[in-house]
Amino acid sequence: MKILSSIYSIAVVGISLGFASCKAEGDYPGTEYAPQMYHSVPYEGLSQITSEEEGDWISTREDGKGEFFNSNINNPHGMNMREPVPNTVPRNKEGILPYRLRVADLEGAAAVQNPIPLTDEVLADGKRLFTQYCSPCHGSGGEGDGKPGMVIGGVANLKGGAYINLPEGHIFHVITHGKGRMGAHGSQITADRRWKIVHYVKQEIQKQ
């Protein structure tokens, strides 16, 4: 029993020392178990290495090939990234183009048309989104009488003054980039939802 106990003790000490020796410390990066699990062979999108001779100085592969030997045989010319069709601009799944107008370009924004068709379902979504994102400050009726709006002041009454005649693109632009005390909501509300809010503001709040 003493011999068996001694063997167990020696084994435990040996395993402990083994794990301790793998620890990264100072200039020693540590020992990696199964390094290929740490260093995969990715398709590097911004490089196009097609020769097995290149990159072998950083290889951890058993076959000695470079870690970034990455020609994708499934794409034309062994490319990793497919080039877009010439003269095209990417759209989202709703077919909406990226919105790139600058904050100060209110004139350009006024010319932008609402790409979302007006339907009862869209208005219902617009009401729900307005209640969620806009009513705390603008109030449920858009009159600027939400509780936070009454505290901070300067919240637009969407039913009054020049706000009635604002183009839909202008309202979308302000929701996206913010204006005055209103913060930008472009990172919080997707473009299609912003357009639905615009529909609700124009059709239900401003009755146009």
Side-chain angles (χ1 to χ4, degrees):
M1 289 295 293
K2 290 184 177 180
I3 294 176
L4 189 59
S5 177
S6 298
I7 293 174
Y8 283 148
S9 299
I10 292 172
V12 170
V13 171
I15 292 172
S16 300
L17 290 173
F19 280 120
S21 66
C22 295
K23 181 181 178 182
E25 188 175 16
D27 294 331
Y28 176 61
T31 302
E32 293 177 341
Y33 174 75
Q36 287 187 345
M37 296 182 69
Y38 294 91
H39 304 279
S40 61
V41 186
Y43 287 135
E44 184 66 25
L46 300 180
S47 70
Q48 213 59 60
I49 300 175
T50 58
S51 171
E52 296 185 13
E53 304 297 325
E54 296 184 50
D56 58 358
W57 57 279
I58 55 173
S59 176
T60 59
R61 295 169 49 142
E62 294 175 359
D63 58 12
K65 290 183 179 179
E67 193 168 337
F68 292 95
F69 166 60
N70 59 4
S71 180
N72 189 338
I73 62 174
N74 300 307
N75 284 345
H77 311 295
M79 298 177 64
N80 293 332
M81 299 178 68
R82 300 298 296 269
E83 294 182 352
V85 178
N87 303 315
T88 59
V89 178
R91 299 171 182 256
N92 66 10
K93 63 182 181 180
E94 287 82 20
I96 299 176
L97 290 167
Y99 191 75
R100 298 192 174 116
L101 293 183
R102 296 180 180 275
V103 177
D105 192 4
L106 290 173
E107 183 177 348
V112 179
Q113 300 296 314
N114 194 330
I116 303 294
L118 179 59
T119 64
D120 291 340
E121 183 180 0
V122 165
L123 283 178
D125 280 346
K127 180 178 181 179
R128 175 179 59 82
L129 293 166
F130 182 90
T131 301
Q132 179 179 356
Y133 292 104
C134 311
S135 65
C137 289
H138 287 283
S140 60
E143 298 179 358
D145 55 353
K147 289 185 178 180
M150 295 176 68
V151 172
I152 64 176
V155 177
N157 177 358
L158 301 176
K159 290 184 175 180
Y163 295 105
I164 291 291
N165 299 318
L166 288 178
E168 291 187 342
H170 182 110
I171 298 174
F172 178 87
H173 189 81
V174 171
I175 296 173
T176 303
H177 293 299
K179 186 178 180 181
R181 296 198 174 191
M182 177 175 169
H185 286 67
S187 63
Q188 304 169 43
I189 314 174
T190 59
D192 60 313
R193 290 184 169 188
R194 278 175 266 154
W195 283 119
K196 290 178 180 179
I197 292 173
V198 172
H199 269 317
Y200 178 73
V201 169
K202 299 300 290 185
Q203 300 298 320
E204 296 297 326
I205 291 181
Q206 298 180 344
K207 301 295 182 181
Q208 292 188 356

